[in-house]
Amino acid sequence: MQPFPGDQIQLPRNMIENSMFEEEPDIVDLAKEPCLHPLEPDEVEYEPRSSRLLVRGLGEHEMDDDEEDYESSAKLLGMSFMNRSSSLRNSMSVYRQSSNGSCSLPSTRTMVVCTVILVIAVALIMVIYLLPKCIFTKEGCHKKNHTMELIYPLATNGKLFPWAKIRLPSDVVPLHYDLVLQPNLTSLKFSGSVKIVVNIIRVTWKIVLHSSGLNITKATITSAGGHQEKPAELLEYPLHDQIAVMAPEALLAGQNYTVNIAYSSNLSDTCYGFYKVSYKDENSRQRCFAATQFEPVAARSAFPCFDEPAFKATFLIKIRRDEKLSTLSNMPKKATIPVTNGIVQDEFFVSLKMSTYLVAFVVADLKNISRETNGSLVSVYAIPQHINQVEYALNTSVKLLEFYQNYFLINYPLEKLDLVAIPDFQSGAMENWGLITFRESSLLFNSRTSSARDKKLITAVIAHELAHQWFGNLVTMEWWNDLWLNEGFATFMEYFAMEEIFPELHSDEDFLNLIFKAMMKDSLNSSHPVSSAVQSSEQIEEMFDALSYIKGASLLLMLKHYLTKDVFQAGIEVYLHNHNYGCAQSDDLWDSMNEITNGTLDVKKLMKTWIVQKGFPLVSVVRKGKIISVKQEKYLYLVEPENWTSDESYLWHIPLTYITSSCNFTHCTNAYLLDQKSAVIELPEEVEWIKFNVDMNGYYIVHYGEDWKTLIDLLKKNHTALSPKDRANLINNIFSLAGLGKESLEKAFELIDYLNKESSTAPLTQALFQLSLIYNLLEKKGEQQLAARLMHRIECLLGDKIDQQSWTDDGALSQRELRSTLLAFACTHDIRNCRTTATEMFEKWMNSNGTMSLPSDVMKAIFTAGAKSSDGWDFLLKMYSSSVSEAEKSKMIEALASTEDVRKLIWLMQNSLEGEVIRTQELSHIIATVSQSLPGYLLAWDFVKENWEKLTRKFHLGSYMIQNIISWSTSQFSTKAHLVEVKSFFESKSEQSSQLHSVKEAIDTIQLNIQWMERNLAMLQELL
């Protein structure tokens, strides 16, 4: 994110008007209040009325001449009012009462004098109020100054807090932290102390930093070279999670000082900050340990700190713990010393320079296995009963670490790398430098119960987090607006590394499907640019979405193909070397790439069109002989399609790629940079067909117009002339265009008629996804007969393919994954005899009391069928409680949430929220599954409405969990009544809730569902 705007934010009109009538005690003139701490003249922002003071003047700094003159003018104006009031009072004496009690009229002379005085006074008021203030200054109007009235908030003790911006001031920077922590896993509290060495950039009286929910008992400041700690006044402003340490004397520029703070707090009962983790050991006894999750803004809840990514520092961490437990942190352990009876202190080596959100520590009873590679010890940790499930993760981590070191030409800089499986963990994983934490299902592989898809997920998550050790940890985005530099790069490298090291996993097909889903989000009017200005913690958390991750990654994929892989790799190496142990902005990446292109291509100019604009282009293609006409416009759904117009202000520099019938192999790919609204491409010869966006390596959709018929015929006659990814791309594009109203739904259904010959996962998965969207809309709209006819159409297309699937784990990994997809779909919708076969297998498993081994790839289909009966559901819940395989439990959860028993669904959601039997981390997964079914989609929304306050306390506004819950619980609605209900609900909540991106997306999605049904319902009735 760019630094905060320099101009002072204008006050809302109602606030300006109210301030004119404030009582005098609410207005503090700093020039007349020497007892207050001096304030520096930093711009400030609007604060809630309850916590602000209107401050006139510039604090310790003298006013400029023009300001002094303006202040004098204001005083003169005040005097004129007083004089005028006095005159008017005196003039009242001319109204004398006559003896009979009536008033006599003033003389003509008196009337004239009063009139003249009144006209002069009014004229003077108008001049002073209406003309610019600079007219009355010595300097004139050559400069503007907006610092006359600053708004500062109140601290908790009622004193003035010396800072009002959300971002911390830049006059103090941290250099080093000494942190001592002592968690108590019995009382669930912790105490701590931190010594922060800071450097003063500009003279100041204050040190403003972050603190959230900490009970601070002591604050002192020590000067460089000094030994005496001087007590410092501490002010707190909880609205911004800020504290101000007020120095007893001026802090001098260029000097180092040490801030000493002692504090205590409770271990969090959410999965943020320094929090409590609960699990059952091998003997089913409840156990606890403590772990951290600081990204993005929760380090401040574990220790006072400068909790912004650009404030990098080194950390010396000491943790006191029960001698029966162990601790882990970012760095290797240096020493363990006894403290008191049964308590020891672990001290870790000083860390490398890093951001606060990457600090991590775990206090637990864990076991591990390890292996050394290239001077670093790689270890995987888990609770004792899961240690037999970590070997795959260790082998995978070593391979990936070696690959990244070779690719980046920078060695992993730490002596150790720990990967820890945490039982309570809301996200998939967290890339803390040297201590990566994971949800158990993202790290543990059970050879008996983990499917092909599970293996792919674990590999992908490890690849993602290891890539962060360079992108994010070594080089960090300067502010959260450029989060995509971290997450987009890690996502790109995740899939690139998997293709290079584990080609048998076909990870590129998964990436393709993720891009399709990201484009659905990006096509909404509520979308945002990849690099977006953010300020509040809610806005920061909302940046962790599909656009930062998937769109960011797909833009890098597009650039890699356009620059060629060698140029792209060289640019990455320059970027990492130029900014290691520092921070970067998007432009720094493009500048690094330009060092390699050396003027042959302006990468910055090209990529800025993708980073700072939301959405993506629609490229229309018209072929006439050898001439190909292409034009671009913004792809955007609007609620009123008749008013659809292209936004002329949007222009992308699009690296178009295409293949033709004359040569359709990969090495025949042609490229053309479309940097204008339209252009003409001349082919060397006429061709039968042309396909743009080869393998969907570009982030745009293509409309072929009349050439759709040519491509439909090609798929029917020889679908293998195009790659599986190209076929999936065509399916996605034509259904997207049908939703936009630019192509007919009839043509989209005609294109997928070839599917009975399809055997590749990517196109089949995309077709099922598009058809499922339509089926769900019809079903929830009450069009059951039409939905049944659509399912019959799907059965005709894919029935033979479903029949060919075996209920085993045999075959290549891609075949196994396709089997999982097809059989899960068939059993859910009761196609062919899928549910019968699955139910029989479930009953055999239940009769064996869960001891019979089930094929892992079809386990979800079997569990889903079994959960349809009440006995089966109850048995599945019992097995869930006792299972030690996270992969198995994940499949059980989805099956349990697929029941049609309303009472069971309500119990499941409520229990997950409470976290008793089912972990709270599973709630969004449960709501997503419940909302897909006909009896469940209204229940899911009702549950969200009734528990909104609990949900936002548990998961935080803007968090990825809340984003998912909002999206899933509303995505099936397609009526105006539901649209009004969703709007009204969020409008009735806090302003922060109603302004969430995810809420706006939910409303956009419902509007589009309504529009889609109005446009296509009649057509569907004809087609089906």
Side-chain angles (χ1 to χ4, degrees), residues 590-601:
W590 314 138
D591 289 340
S592 298
M593 294 289 178
N594 278 340
E595 285 187 39
I596 304 302
T597 59
N598 198 25
T600 58
L601 173 70

Side-chain angles (χ1 to χ4, degrees), residues 713-750:
D713 291 339
L714 176 65
L715 291 176
K716 288 178 180 176
K717 293 173 186 174
N718 180 22
H719 67 282
T720 56
L722 298 174
S723 71
K725 286 194 282 188
D726 272 334
R727 302 197 295 269
N729 177 225
L730 289 177
I731 293 169
N732 171 268
N733 282 193
I734 199 165
F735 274 95
S736 299
L737 290 167
L740 194 65
K742 289 207 167 247
E743 196 49 83
S744 72
L745 196 59
E746 181 181 13
K747 196 167 287 184
F749 273 89
E750 190 181 351

Side-chain angles (χ1 to χ4, degrees), residues 350-540:
V350 176
S351 75
L352 299 176
K353 194 177 176 185
M354 63 183 184
S355 305
T356 50
Y357 78 86
L358 294 171
V359 174
F361 28 88
V362 175
V363 183
D365 177 19
L366 301 173
K367 291 188 175 180
N368 71 288
I369 61 172
S370 305
R371 184 187 306 168
E372 188 171 345
T373 176
N374 199 30
S376 297
L377 185 66
V378 181
S379 305
V380 184
Y381 289 81
I383 58 177
Q385 62 263 42
H386 288 163
I387 195 62
N388 62 341
Q389 301 177 44
V390 302
E391 187 174 1
Y392 177 76
L394 180 62
N395 295 336
T396 301
S397 300
V398 170
K399 290 178 183 177
L400 285 163
L401 196 63
E402 291 171 350
F403 170 79
Y404 286 140
Q405 291 181 123
N406 292 331
Y407 185 79
F408 299 137
L409 296 182
I410 297 177
N411 285 338
Y412 174 71
L414 304 183
E415 293 180 7
K416 64 99 174 175
L417 174 64
D418 297 334
L419 295 83
V420 185
I422 308 286
D424 277 323
F425 202 80
Q426 281 181 15
S427 57
M430 176 60 209
E431 67 268 18
N432 316 298
W433 214 351
L435 179 60
I436 308 175
T437 46
F438 292 78
R439 182 184 285 214
E440 287 183 319
S441 59
S442 300
L443 191 67
L444 305 179
F445 181 82
N446 186 313
S447 57
R448 191 176 67 86
T449 59
S450 295
S451 65
R453 186 171 295 168
D454 294 327
K455 177 181 276 192
K456 187 184 286 190
L457 170 68
I458 291 167
T459 309
V461 175
I462 295 173
H464 183 98
E465 303 309 327
L466 262 62
H468 269 311
Q469 305 305 297
W470 286 265
F471 288 100
N473 299 8
L474 185 67
V475 180
T476 311
M477 79 266 139
E478 191 171 289
W479 179 244
W480 300 105
N481 65 305
D482 277 329
L483 176 66
W484 83 274
L485 282 176
N486 279 20
E487 300 300 350
F489 246 119
T491 304
F492 168 78
M493 291 306 304
E494 158 192 344
Y495 288 102
F496 176 67
M498 287 173 70
E499 279 187 68
E500 295 291 314
I501 308 172
F502 308 103
E504 71 280 1
L505 295 180
H506 295 281
S507 60
D508 55 333
E509 295 180 352
D510 291 287
F511 188 33
L512 185 68
N513 286 321
L514 288 174
I515 294 172
F516 290 147
K517 291 176 182 177
M519 293 180 87
M520 287 179 66
K521 177 186 176 84
D522 202 16
S523 66
L524 301 175
N525 197 44
S526 52
S527 179
H528 63 84
V530 169
S531 183
S532 298
V534 290
Q535 300 180 27
S536 68
S537 59
E538 292 85 7
Q539 292 171 339
I540 292 168

Side-chain angles (χ1 to χ4, degrees), residues 638-853:
L638 290 182
V639 182
E640 299 174 354
E642 63 272 14
N643 296 330
W644 198 97
T645 55
S646 175
D647 190 334
E648 295 298 324
S649 67
Y650 280 83
L651 178 72
W652 287 267
H653 291 191
I654 312 171
L656 297 176
T657 56
Y658 61 91
I659 53 173
T660 67
S661 55
S662 62
C663 183
N664 59 337
F665 297 106
T666 306
H667 65 270
C668 296
T669 299
N670 301 280
Y672 180 86
L673 183 63
L674 178 61
D675 55 3
Q676 302 294 328
K677 282 288 185 182
S678 61
V680 171
I681 302 171
E682 186 173 354
L683 303 178
E685 58 185 348
E686 289 194 26
V687 294
E688 294 178 18
W689 54 264
I690 187 168
K691 163 69 174 69
F692 276 83
N693 202 357
V694 179
D695 282 340
M696 186 62 193
N697 288 329
Y699 193 74
Y700 56 94
I701 279 178
V702 183
H703 184 21
Y704 294 94
E706 294 180 3
D707 255 12
W708 274 115
K709 186 178 186 309
T710 305
L711 292 169
I712 289 169
D713 291 339
L714 176 65
L715 291 176
K716 288 178 180 176
K717 293 173 186 174
N718 180 22
H719 67 282
T720 56
L722 298 174
S723 71
K725 286 194 282 188
D726 272 334
R727 302 197 295 269
N729 177 225
L730 289 177
I731 293 169
N732 171 268
N733 282 193
I734 199 165
F735 274 95
S736 299
L737 290 167
L740 194 65
K742 289 207 167 247
E743 196 49 83
S744 72
L745 196 59
E746 181 181 13
K747 196 167 287 184
F749 273 89
E750 190 181 351
L751 184 139
I752 61 172
D753 278 340
Y754 90 96
L755 282 178
N756 53 12
K757 297 182 291 185
E758 184 61 82
S759 58
S760 295
T761 303
L764 285 170
T765 302
Q766 181 57 203
L768 279 178
F769 175 76
Q770 296 292 344
L771 294 170
S772 294
L773 289 178
I774 298 172
Y775 176 85
N776 286 333
L777 282 180
L778 292 173
E779 184 188 47
K780 310 307 183 299
K781 182 77 170 174
E783 297 284 348
Q784 267 70 32
Q785 287 189 346
L786 200 53
R789 281 152 56 187
L790 175 60
M791 196 53 60
H792 176 70
R793 177 74 172 263
I794 296 172
E795 186 174 355
C796 292
L797 284 173
L798 302 178
D800 290 344
K801 192 69 60 186
I802 292 168
D803 290 340
Q804 292 167 12
Q805 304 305 311
S806 63
W807 293 77
T808 67
D809 287 337
D810 297 337
L813 194 136
S814 59
Q815 294 173 303
R816 294 172 58 190
E817 192 169 11
L818 179 60
R819 178 186 303 137
S820 293
T821 301
L822 289 174
L823 290 179
F825 181 86
C827 285
T828 298
H829 297 287
D830 202 11
I831 294 176
R832 300 295 214 229
N833 63 345
C834 181
R835 195 174 288 182
T836 303
T837 305
T839 303
E840 290 173 356
M841 296 182 74
F842 181 85
E843 288 174 352
K844 289 179 181 177
W845 178 72
M846 187 166 64
N847 291 335
S848 74
N849 202 29
T851 58
M852 186 183 93
S853 181

Side-chain angles (χ1 to χ4, degrees), residues 876-894:
L876 204 57
L877 180 62
K878 173 188 157 190
M879 294 304 296
Y880 172 86
S881 302
S882 60
S883 175
V884 295
S885 166
E886 289 303 312
E888 186 177 53
K889 290 174 85 166
S890 180
K891 299 175 184 69
M892 288 176 174
I893 279 290
E894 197 162 335

